[in-house]
């Protein structure tokens, strides 16, 4: 009839209601439930709706309420699960009607997404909040719809009478991600079972980047980056900046001049640089209280620590630190930071060591409460972001130094003689200490109590220190005049708004920005500050994904090839290509999570992954976010293995940097590229930082980071005259403002000329490339950016940073010809060798002699051999499906075939079972070492080795050119880093050195005789096949260039056949012996 009365205690779907003119719907519910959702499915809504006797107004709407529908469907699926388990027949027929009914609604959600969702995603110019809102609108439809469909499929397919399986089915704990989470071991999870809880991990990430302290630190770092950039500019660069700003805004021009005047007065006072000053004569540290533990430490230090007279026993928190005449202000800031941190016990458990090189080690006591010290250090550094040397890499290692050693053996001797037992001390306060000179002892000036923030001048401080502390208040007014907080409000806004940073980016970095969001690096980094400030949005984050698309960073698209092994070893990844046009991680995450393909300006493959680098335009602030758990771990983990928590640790960032570097060091040949391929490459290389003519529109025109086009225009140089005019019409303007940003249009004449040059092996300068294609300027710049970022992430903490020390030690192996590069030698990925020698400290490769030694033929050949061995191991393990024994047999058979070793050419056993075999030495001495290399058989076997050798030799040659360029210009990496943080033109000489470097062939790099090249590579391949495990490889493997090596391999293959025959004879002898014993018995 027309009246429908339904009992629905928990809400749900009311189906096929309606059709009559005067229909009436009455619903009875469970009154204890305060909130219920109903979905009425029918031709038209009921004219009257009554719920538990209450009249409810009915509204029609064409807008699908996705959240409401998702909640109702989830409730219905739970009911269907119970009904499915309760079905005695054990079939899906009892729930098929419900499944079909729900599928109709799921399809409607999915269709709505496809029609309306994709078209509405707008990333260009979108703010962080707008990205998040768009993502949530789309994700509500697509992901909920897909998830519901999968749940329905699980219901239909479920068939199991096991009660345990039924329970897992009902609760959902058997899902893919739930079971995966149960398998994840995380040492830092804090759970006794060592399992990583995704919810706890999300809370950890949010607590870090969403904390107000993080926001405050980001604000300070952005200010320091902007002001430091101004201070590094030369007079000529300042003039160019002024002209640029004046042409755009007179008001901004006056503020810039006032800011420069203020910075000028700061620079005149060396002791009053309050925004960035730090000195090596001051430190903030914990010093153990006097007592037995203190005395025991000093006993060890008396024998082994050469710095005992200079330093007290301590754990450094900030070093270098602010000058001692600023200690009073510093103590007050620290007091505020540690007031909420309670005192804690310190259990010094054991003696460990840092390895700086083969002849340099530091022994130190390990505080078991490392996490407490890490939190304490982070709180203090937030107040002094410029004092980030110990935590710059994101790997702060609390340690108490007790001695220095010259070998591993002496480290063990120190541990044995110390006989250290775990000892309990107490961290109740931290100390501000200072010394007068480099060789004077440190004295405690101030103590700051944890938990209370109480500050007191130490009675042990010298009279000069007390006087300085007393004078602090008197001089504070003068010094505060130069602090940022005391600047005029409009100058503060000029810096904090990013206007000044935008001008600096436009003039000195070619207006670098993301082509997805159209925002520059500063504008993306400032979004991280809002994670902590915007409390409303912060409380609304539901996952790390939402945080990633809210706050991002400038990054570079990469094409990644993953393997199953990446989940355990991040160096198993392969980066096939790195694009040089910048994007941003937030827009990319938003598009990827919304399942919308994103393309570069040149088209081609959709962009799915990105390499995040520390940006030279904002060095300190970008280093902070790259080292954060959200970007440095969560995002990096997704790039590596498509999982939020699959792998954590610094190795992830190192692997992506190293593999991306290796990819960039491979110049591409365009011999077979089409016109569209070359056009796409030109756009990829130059969009975003090239210009076009203001008269005829010709582009791309490269002006680099040149701040004054008139400076070198018409200048005579080797190879011709410098011209900054339009190559097409000759138009010229000395101001960059007159040149428009290139819009990507490529003139046909330019494209044809470009293709001709590349295919004829010519460089951008028009010079013939005798050694093949060379690096483009943009790719050379990307190489420097990758190494710069790697150093910024892992170079913090001085020699006490274990990661930095390990990579320095790895680079020193090349100089000393200590050719140990296998996994057995803790080299997880061979690309670690490449980035180690590229990014190592200047004292490892301090002159051309060291560089020549590090890239000498024996070193290069050893790296090529290791690369081939790793490739061979992967190949044979895949063929053997992981069986090591089978893989070894396959390798031996392949080498036997390669060398033409036959069964007939191998030694035979003696004919009689009763005749014993001669000694192995005797047989091997008479065994033939001849080989017969068949070109048709081995062509495919050595081509892969030649290709691999060529790639590594080219990469190493470019790194060698980089290290020589650093020596030639002076100042090493420290100067290059400062230049990269100042202007593109300041390091143009290094980019030029890389682009003109001829790529040596493997014949030159490995010193291989051209007459024996095939034999050498057959030897390389054979040695790689037979010794592909790390344990099988060592420095004693014979030289592959020696003809005797291949003969020895051929002899070993024949001896392998002989040993198989001996094994067969022994089996026959055993069987015959058993038969004779049986007969005799």
């Amino acid at each position: 009839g027309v009246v429908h009365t339904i009992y629905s205690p928990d809400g749900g779907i009311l189906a096929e209601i309606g059709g009559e003119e005067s229909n009436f719907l009455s619903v009875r519910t469970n009154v204890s439930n305060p909130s219920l959702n109903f979905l009425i499915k029918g031709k038209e809504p009921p004219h009257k709706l009554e719920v538990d006797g209450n009249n409810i107004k009915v509204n029609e709407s064409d807008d699908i309420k996705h959240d409401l529908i998702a909640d109702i469907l989830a409730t219905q699926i739970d009911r269907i699960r119970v009904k499915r388990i309760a079905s005695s027949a054990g079939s899906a027929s009892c729930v098929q009607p419900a499944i079909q009914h729900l599928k109709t609604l799921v399809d409607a959600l999915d269709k709505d997404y496809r029609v309306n969702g994709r078209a509405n995603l707008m990333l260009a110019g979108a703010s962080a909040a707008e990205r998040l809102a768009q993502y949530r609108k789309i994700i509500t439809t697509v992901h909920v719809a897909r998830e519901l469909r999968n749940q329905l499929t699980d219901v239909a397919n479920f068939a199991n009478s096991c009660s345990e399986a039924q329970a897992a089915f009902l609760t959902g704990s058997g899902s893919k991600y739930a079971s995966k989470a149960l398998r994840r071991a995380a040492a830092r999870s804090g759970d006794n079972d060592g399992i990583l809880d995704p919810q706890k991990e999300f809370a950890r990430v949010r607590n870090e980047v969403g904390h107000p302290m993080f926001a405050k630190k980001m604000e300070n770092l952005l200010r320091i980056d902007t002001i430091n950039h101004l201070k590094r500019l030369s007079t000529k660069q300042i003039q160019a900046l002024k002209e640029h700003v004046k042409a755009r805004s007179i008001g901004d021009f006056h503020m810039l001049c006032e800011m420069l005047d203020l910075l000028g007065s700061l620079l005149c006072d060396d002791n009053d640089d309050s925004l960035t000053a730090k000195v090596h004569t001051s430190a903030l540290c914990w010093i153990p209280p006097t007592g037995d533990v203190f005395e025991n430490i000093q006993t060890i230090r008396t024998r082994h620590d050469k710095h005992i007279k200079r330093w007290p026993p301590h754990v450094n928190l900030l070093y270098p630190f602010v000058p001692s005449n600023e200690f009073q202000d510093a103590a007050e800031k620290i007091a505020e930071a540690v007031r909420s941190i309670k005192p804690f016990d310190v259990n010094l458990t054991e003696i460990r060591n840092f390895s700086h090189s083969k002849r340099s080690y530091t022994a130190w006591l390990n505080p078991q409460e490392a996490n407490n010290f890490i939190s304490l250090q982070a709180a203090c550094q937030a107040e002094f972001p410029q004092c980030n040397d110990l935590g710059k890499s994101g790997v702060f290692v609390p340690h108490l130094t007790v001695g220095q050693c010259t070998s591993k053996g002496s480290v063990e001797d120190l541990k044995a003689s110390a006989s250290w037992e775990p000892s309990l001390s107490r961290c109740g306060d931290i100390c501000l200490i200072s010394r007068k000179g480099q060789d004077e002892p440190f004295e405690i000036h101030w103590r700051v109590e944890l938990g209370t923030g109480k500050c007191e001048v130490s009675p042990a401080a010298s009279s000069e220190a007390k006087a300085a502390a007393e004078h602090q208040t008197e001089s504070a007014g003068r010094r505060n005049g130069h602090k940022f907080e005391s600047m005029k409000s409009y100058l503060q806004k000029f810096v904090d708004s990013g206007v000044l940073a935008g001008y600096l980016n436009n003039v000195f970095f070619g207006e670098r920005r993301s082509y997805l969001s159209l925002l520059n690096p500063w504008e993306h980094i400032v979004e991280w500050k809002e994670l902590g400030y915007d409390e409303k949005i912060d409380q609304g984050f539901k996952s790390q994904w939402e945080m990633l698309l809210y706050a991002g960073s400038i990054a570079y698209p990469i094409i990644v090839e993953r393997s199953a092994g990446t989940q355990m070893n991040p160096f198993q990844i392969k980066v096939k290509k790195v694009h040089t046009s910048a994007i941003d991680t937030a827009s990319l995450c938003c598009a990827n999570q919304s399942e919308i393909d994103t393309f570069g300006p040149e088209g081609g493959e959709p962009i799915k992954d990105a390499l995040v680098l520390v940006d030279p335009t904002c060095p300190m602030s970008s280093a902070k976010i790259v080292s954060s758990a959200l970007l440095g771990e969560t995002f990096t983990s997704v790039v590596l293995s498509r999982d939020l928590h699959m792998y954590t640790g610094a190795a992830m960032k190192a692997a992506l940097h190293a593999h991306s570097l290796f990819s960039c060091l491979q110049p591409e040949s365009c011999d077979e590229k089409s016109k569209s391929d070359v056009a796409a490459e030109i756009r990829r290389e130059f969009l975003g930082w090239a210009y076009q003519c203001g008269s005829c529109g010709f582009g791309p025109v490269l002006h680099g980071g040149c701040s004054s086009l008139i400076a070198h225009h018409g200048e005579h140089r080797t190879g011709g005259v410098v011209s900054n005019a339009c190559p097409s019409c000759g138009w010229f303007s000395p101001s960059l403002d007159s040149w428009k940003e290139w819009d990507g249009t490529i003139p046909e004449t330019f494209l044809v000329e470009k293709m001709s040059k590349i295919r004829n092996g010519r460089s951008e300068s028009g010079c013939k490339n005798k050694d093949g294609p060379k690096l483009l300027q943009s790719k050379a710049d990307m190489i420097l950016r990758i190494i710069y970022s790697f150093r910024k992430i892992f170079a913090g903490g001085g020699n006490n940073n274990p990661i930095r020390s390990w990579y320095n030690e790895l680079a020193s192996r090349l100089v000393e010809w200590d050719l140990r590069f296998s996994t057995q030698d803790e080299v997880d990925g061979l690309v670690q060798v490449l980035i180690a020698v590229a990014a190592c400290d200047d004292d490892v490769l301090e002159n051309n002699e060291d560089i020549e030694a590090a890239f000498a033929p024996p070193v290069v050949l050893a790296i090529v051999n290791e690369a081939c061995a790793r490739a061979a191991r992967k190949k044979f393990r895949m063929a053997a499906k992981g069986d090591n024994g089978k893989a070894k047999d396959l390798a031996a058979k392949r080498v036997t075939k390669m060398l033409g070793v036959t069964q007939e050419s191998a030694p035979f056993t003696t004919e009689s079972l009763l005749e014993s075999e001669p000694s192995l030495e005797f047989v091997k001495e008479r065994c033939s070492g001849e080989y017969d290399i068949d070109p048709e058989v081995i062509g495919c076997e050595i081509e892969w080795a030649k290709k691999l050798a060529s790639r590594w030799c080219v990469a190493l040659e470019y790194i060698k050119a980089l290290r020589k360029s650093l020596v030639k210009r002076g100042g090493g990496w420290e100067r290059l880093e400062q230049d990269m943080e100042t202007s593109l033109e300041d390091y143009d000489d290094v980019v030029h050195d890389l682009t003109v470097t001829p790529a040596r062939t493997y014949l030159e790099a490995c010193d291989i005789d051209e007459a024996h090249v095939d034999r050498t590579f057959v030897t390389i391949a054979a040695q790689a096949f037979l010794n592909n495990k790390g344990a099988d490889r060592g420095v004693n493997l014979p030289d592959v260039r020696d003809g005797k090596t291949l003969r020895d391999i051929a002899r070993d293959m024949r001896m392998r056949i002989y040993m198989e025959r001996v094994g067969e004879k022994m089996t026959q002898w055993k069987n015959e012996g058993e038969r004779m014993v049986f007969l005799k018995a």
Side-chain angles (χ1 to χ4, degrees):
V2 296
V3 177
H4 304 270
T5 301
I6 299 171
Y7 175 63
S8 181
D10 299 316
I13 300 175
L14 310 179
E16 303 302 336
I17 303 299
E20 300 290 343
E21 285 297 321
S22 58
N23 62 64
F24 170 71
L25 179 62
S26 176
V27 182
R28 293 183 295 118
T29 69
N30 183 353
V31 293
S32 62
N33 194 336
S35 176
L36 295 175
N37 293 320
F38 291 95
L39 178 66
I40 302 175
K41 179 176 180 289
K43 297 177 182 177
E44 62 181 42
H47 292 183
K48 184 177 182 182
L49 175 64
E50 183 181 273
V51 178
D52 293 335
N54 299 307
N55 289 326
I56 305 297
K57 185 178 181 181
V58 179
N59 292 320
E60 280 190 83
S61 175
D62 293 331
D63 184 24
I64 297 177
K65 306 296 184 183
H66 302 105
D67 290 333
L68 175 63
I69 294 177
D71 290 341
I72 293 175
L73 294 183
T75 302
Q76 294 299 105
I77 288 175
D78 288 340
R79 292 174 178 171
I80 292 176
R81 280 199 180 98
V82 176
K83 188 174 182 180
R84 180 73 179 85
I85 293 296
S87 172
S88 58
S91 67
S93 59
C94 64
V95 295
Q96 284 294 355
I99 290 175
Q100 188 59 41
H101 188 61
L102 292 179
K103 184 177 182 298
T104 304
L105 295 176
V106 171
D107 289 341
L109 289 175
D110 201 22
K111 180 179 179 182
D112 180 69
Y113 160 70
R114 290 197 305 270
V115 173
N116 301 317
R118 294 177 185 269
N120 293 333
L121 184 65
M122 300 294 292
L123 295 174
S127 68
E130 290 168 344
R131 275 196 305 270
L132 184 60
Q134 291 183 80
Y135 162 78
R136 284 178 172 170
K137 183 176 180 181
I138 293 174
I139 209 66
T140 301
T141 57
V142 61
H143 280 204
V144 168
R146 305 286 166 79
E147 182 180 356
L148 291 172
R149 180 179 284 113
N150 292 340
Q151 291 179 20
L152 288 175
T153 304
D154 290 342
V155 172
N157 295 334
F158 178 76
N160 199 317
S161 59
C162 170
S163 60
E164 183 180 352
Q166 290 177 354
F169 172 75
L170 288 172
T171 60
S173 62
S175 66
K176 172 185 175 184
Y177 292 107
S179 59
K180 184 189 293 184
L182 294 175
R183 296 194 299 267
R184 291 186 190 123
R188 66 156 181 261
S189 67
D191 295 335
N192 293 330
D193 56 4
I195 301 300
L196 181 67
D197 184 341
Q199 292 303 317
K200 288 184 179 179
E201 187 68 8
F202 170 49
R204 180 183 74 88
V205 172
R206 188 169 67 173
N207 289 340
E208 178 199 0
V209 299
H211 196 282
M213 187 180 295
F214 185 89
K216 181 179 180 181
K217 180 181 290 189
M218 293 307 305
E219 185 175 56
N220 288 337
L221 291 177
L222 284 167
R223 291 169 177 171
I224 291 172
D225 281 337
T226 303
I227 292 173
N228 278 352
H229 193 178
L230 272 182
K231 291 164 64 176
R232 284 192 297 268
L233 296 178
S234 66
T235 304
K236 175 182 170 184
Q237 290 171 329
I238 289 175
Q239 186 60 36
L241 177 63
K242 285 182 176 181
E243 292 176 2
H244 177 84
V245 175
K246 188 176 183 179
R248 282 158 176 76
S249 170
I250 293 296
D252 289 348
F253 172 72
H254 290 310
M255 283 191 287
L256 173 64
C257 293
E258 189 173 346
M259 179 70 73
L260 290 170
D261 290 341
L262 178 60
L263 289 179
S265 64
L266 270 173
L267 293 173
C268 292
D269 188 351
D270 294 335
N271 297 320
D272 216 9
D273 190 359
S274 57
L275 279 170
T276 59
K278 54 184 178 181
V279 294
H280 286 82
T281 54
S282 297
L284 176 68
C285 63
W286 169 70
I287 298 176
T290 55
D292 292 341
V293 176
F294 185 96
E295 296 303 326
N296 292 339
I297 294 172
Q298 289 297 77
T299 300
I300 301 173
R301 295 183 69 220
T302 300
R303 295 196 297 265
H304 301 286
D305 191 354
K306 61 185 179 182
H307 301 307
I308 187 170
K309 293 183 178 180
R310 185 184 307 168
W311 287 89
H314 67 285
V315 173
N316 267 335
L317 300 173
L318 299 179
Y319 178 75
F321 192 44
V322 297
S324 60
N325 63 350
E326 298 184 15
F327 271 8
Q328 180 172 333
D329 280 356
E332 292 173 1
K333 288 185 177 182
I334 293 169
E336 187 65 29
V338 304
R339 189 167 283 124
S340 61
I341 300 176
K342 296 180 180 179
F344 54 89
D345 291 333
V346 180
N347 187 11
L348 300 169
T349 56
E350 60 181 342
I351 296 178
R352 298 183 179 179
N353 70 89
F354 294 127
S355 172
H356 312 304
S357 68
K358 290 181 66 177
R359 294 182 293 275
S360 177
Y361 297 82
T362 297
W364 50 277
L365 284 169
N366 173 53
Q368 191 175 33
E369 298 73 14
N371 288 337
N372 289 339
F373 276 111
I374 291 172
S375 299
L376 178 59
Q377 192 271 346
C380 295
Q381 189 178 309
E383 298 296 329
F384 302 93
Q386 74 274 24
C387 302
N388 63 341
D389 295 66
L390 298 182
K392 188 185 298 182
S393 67
V395 188
F396 171 64
V397 182
H399 61 281
L400 196 156
T401 300
V402 293
Q404 297 78 36
C405 303
T406 57
S407 66
K408 289 184 178 180
S410 59
V411 172
E412 297 304 319
D413 292 342
L414 183 152
K415 293 179 182 179
S417 64
S419 301
W420 182 264
E421 295 292 336
S423 303
L424 194 64
S425 185
R426 181 77 170 168
C427 180
D429 57 40
I430 53 179
C431 304
L432 288 75
I433 64 175
S434 181
R435 58 185 173 184
K436 297 177 184 178
Q438 292 294 331
D439 298 321
E440 294 294 317
F442 277 96
E443 292 182 316
I444 300 173
H445 290 220
W446 287 81
R447 289 183 182 271
V448 181
E449 288 185 2
L450 303 188
T452 65
K454 180 181 178 182
C455 303
E456 61 179 33
V457 179
S458 171
S462 65
S463 57
E464 291 84 0
K466 289 182 180 180
E470 292 169 0
H471 183 66
Q472 185 73 17
T473 305
E474 187 178 313
S475 61
R478 179 182 58 84
R479 289 185 295 102
N480 284 341
H482 299 316
K483 289 186 176 181
F484 184 87
E485 291 80 0
S486 63
M487 287 182 183
K488 294 177 181 178
S489 59
Y490 57 84
L491 291 182
Q492 292 185 27
K493 186 177 180 180
F494 188 47
V495 175
D496 286 343
S497 64
V499 173
L500 177 56
Y503 287 137
L504 292 169
N505 180 56
N506 293 346
V507 176
F508 302 110
F509 296 106
E511 203 172 349
R512 187 177 293 271
R513 64 177 184 265
S514 164
Y515 63 71
L516 292 180
S517 66
L518 305 182
L519 302 180
N520 64 36
W522 192 97
E523 291 170 322
H524 272 292
I525 294 173
V526 79
E527 293 173 346
W528 289 74
K529 189 176 68 172
E530 299 172 8
L531 285 172
Y533 282 163
D534 198 329
E535 187 175 291
K536 182 179 178 181
I537 294 178
D538 180 62
Q539 292 175 348
F541 289 134
K542 299 176 182 178
S543 67
Q544 286 110 306
W545 272 117
E546 290 194 349
M547 299 183 78
L548 280 171
L549 60 89
Y550 185 88
S553 171
I554 292 293
Y556 300 90
I558 55 176
I559 299 175
V560 175
E561 184 179 287
R562 300 171 186 83
S563 66
T566 306
Q567 297 174 355
M568 298 303 296
N569 177 7
F571 287 97
Q572 293 292 326
I573 201 173
K574 180 180 179 182
V575 176
K576 297 171 65 176
K577 192 169 187 63
V578 179
H579 299 320
T580 56
S581 296
I583 60 172
D584 66 282
T585 60
S587 298
L588 180 63
C589 287
C590 189
N592 284 348
Q593 280 298 97
S594 303
E595 299 185 3
I596 297 175
D597 287 338
T598 304
F599 298 90
E602 75 285 351
E605 295 183 48
I607 298 168
K608 297 297 181 184
D609 300 290
L611 172 68
V612 181
L613 301 177
V614 177
D615 200 298
T617 62
C618 304
M620 298 182 72
S621 54
S622 65
K624 180 61 181 175
I625 63 173
V626 170
S627 298
S628 69
L630 182 61
L631 201 59
E633 293 182 13
T634 302
F635 181 80
T636 306
S637 184
V638 172
V639 173
L640 279 166
S641 55
R642 284 289 178 264
D643 193 277
L644 288 172
H645 316 292
M646 185 58 68
Y647 194 97
T648 56
M652 296 191 303
K653 289 175 281 189
L656 274 180
H657 278 71
H659 277 288
S660 299
L661 175 63
F662 185 74
S663 175
C664 285
L665 289 166
Q666 308 301 317
E668 298 176 75
S669 172
C670 293
D671 289 344
E672 299 178 359
K673 287 188 176 180
S674 66
K675 184 181 292 187
S676 60
D677 290 331
V678 177
E681 182 176 286
I682 293 171
R683 292 191 182 98
R684 180 184 299 123
E685 298 296 341
F686 302 123
L687 265 176
W689 65 293
Y691 297 87
Q692 65 185 48
C693 177
S695 175
C696 70
F698 178 89
V701 180
L702 303 182
H703 289 317
C706 190
S707 56
S708 175
L709 300 183
I710 195 65
H712 303 292
H713 183 62
E715 185 177 296
H716 288 269
R717 289 185 179 178
T718 303
V721 179
V722 175
S723 175
N724 285 325
C726 171
S728 177
C729 69
W731 175 84
F732 173 75
S733 172
S735 173
L736 274 177
D737 300 336
S738 303
W739 296 80
K740 300 177 182 178
E741 182 181 346
W742 182 46
D743 60 8
T745 303
I746 305 175
E748 185 67 20
T749 54
F750 180 84
L751 182 59
V752 172
E753 181 184 1
K754 184 75 173 178
M755 291 181 65
S756 176
K757 286 183 178 181
I758 295 177
R759 289 180 173 175
N760 290 327
R762 293 183 179 274
S763 66
E764 291 177 335
S765 64
C767 301
K768 184 71 176 179
N769 293 341
K770 298 180 180 179
D771 303 285
K774 297 184 180 180
L775 291 174
L776 295 172
Q777 287 184 359
S778 58
K779 194 56 70 74
D781 182 64
M782 179 58 63
I783 289 168
L784 296 179
R785 287 176 177 272
I786 292 172
I787 304 172
Y788 168 91
S789 176
F790 182 87
R791 284 179 53 84
K792 288 294 181 181
I793 293 173
F794 297 110
N799 288 331
N800 292 331
N801 183 336
I803 298 176
R804 170 183 175 177
S805 298
W806 187 87
Y807 278 98
N808 278 340
E809 191 272 335
L810 181 58
S812 68
R813 292 186 201 174
L814 276 67
V815 181
E816 299 166 1
W817 288 19
D818 181 4
L819 309 179
R820 297 176 293 114
F821 307 128
S822 71
T823 53
Q824 200 79 356
D825 304 305
E826 301 180 353
V827 181
D828 294 326
L830 197 56
V831 288
Q832 288 177 282
V833 177
L834 187 70
I835 203 162
V837 75
C840 66
D841 291 342
D842 298 312
D843 57 357
V844 178
L845 296 173
E846 60 183 348
N847 52 50
N848 285 328
E849 289 75 18
D850 289 341
I851 295 171
E852 290 295 341
F855 295 92
V859 178
V860 177
L861 189 57
I863 294 173
V864 169
N865 281 336
E866 181 63 32
C868 291
R870 291 178 183 238
R873 176 169 173 76
K874 183 177 180 180
K875 180 189 300 184
F876 287 115
R877 277 184 59 83
M878 288 179 63
K881 298 181 179 179
D883 187 325
N884 285 328
K886 187 176 180 182
K888 203 164 187 175
D889 290 339
L890 290 174
K893 290 177 181 178
R894 183 77 65 86
V895 175
T896 300
K897 185 177 181 181
M898 278 175 52
L899 302 185
V901 173
T902 61
Q903 294 283 331
E904 294 74 18
S905 64
F908 287 89
T909 58
T910 55
E911 295 183 3
S912 172
L913 286 178
L914 300 178
E915 185 179 354
S916 63
E917 292 296 315
S919 67
L920 283 177
E921 291 78 8
F922 179 85
V923 177
K924 190 171 184 177
E925 187 177 335
R926 285 160 178 74
C927 181
S928 171
E930 297 302 315
Y931 51 84
D932 182 15
I933 302 177
D934 184 351
E936 293 184 3
V937 174
I938 68 167
C940 60
E941 300 291 356
I942 66 171
E943 283 307 312
W944 68 271
K946 286 183 176 179
K947 184 177 180 180
L948 202 54
S950 178
R951 297 188 72 195
W952 272 98
C953 291
V954 167
L956 290 168
E957 187 64 20
Y958 283 126
I959 297 302
K960 179 181 178 181
L962 169 61
R963 299 303 312 204
K964 285 198 167 187
S965 181
L966 293 179
V967 171
K968 179 180 68 175
R969 76 199 305 260
W973 262 111
E974 184 176 353
R975 179 190 167 190
L976 179 56
E977 287 169 354
Q978 291 179 355
D979 290 345
M980 291 179 69
E981 293 166 5
T982 305
S983 169
L984 293 175
E985 67 178 352
D986 280 11
Y987 64 99
D988 187 59
D989 57 322
V990 182
V991 173
H992 177 265
D993 288 344
L994 288 174
T995 57
V996 300
T997 297
R1000 284 197 302 175
T1001 66
Y1002 49 70
L1003 298 178
E1004 301 171 278
C1006 300
D1007 193 21
I1008 297 174
D1009 188 343
E1010 190 170 2
H1012 302 298
V1013 62
D1014 283 348
R1015 186 202 68 199
T1016 301
F1017 274 97
V1018 169
T1019 309
I1020 290 174
Q1023 201 176 80
F1025 289 165
L1026 298 173
N1027 303 281
N1028 56 62
K1029 287 181 64 177
D1032 298 334
R1033 303 186 63 78
V1035 293
N1036 295 323
L1037 283 176
D1039 191 338
V1040 294
R1041 296 169 296 185
D1042 189 345
K1044 181 178 179 297
T1045 302
L1046 193 58
R1047 290 193 296 272
D1048 289 341
I1049 293 175
R1051 184 178 292 108
D1052 289 341
M1053 293 300 96
R1054 291 186 174 90
M1055 288 300 295
R1056 181 183 176 89
I1057 296 173
Y1058 169 71
M1059 291 307 297
E1060 290 175 354
R1061 290 170 175 168
V1062 171
E1064 294 173 359
K1065 182 178 178 180
M1066 292 297 293
T1067 301
Q1068 294 176 11
W1069 185 87
K1070 178 176 177 290
N1071 293 339
E1072 183 64 19
E1074 289 176 350
R1075 189 183 69 81
M1076 291 177 65
V1077 170
F1078 174 75
L1079 292 175
K1080 187 177 292 186

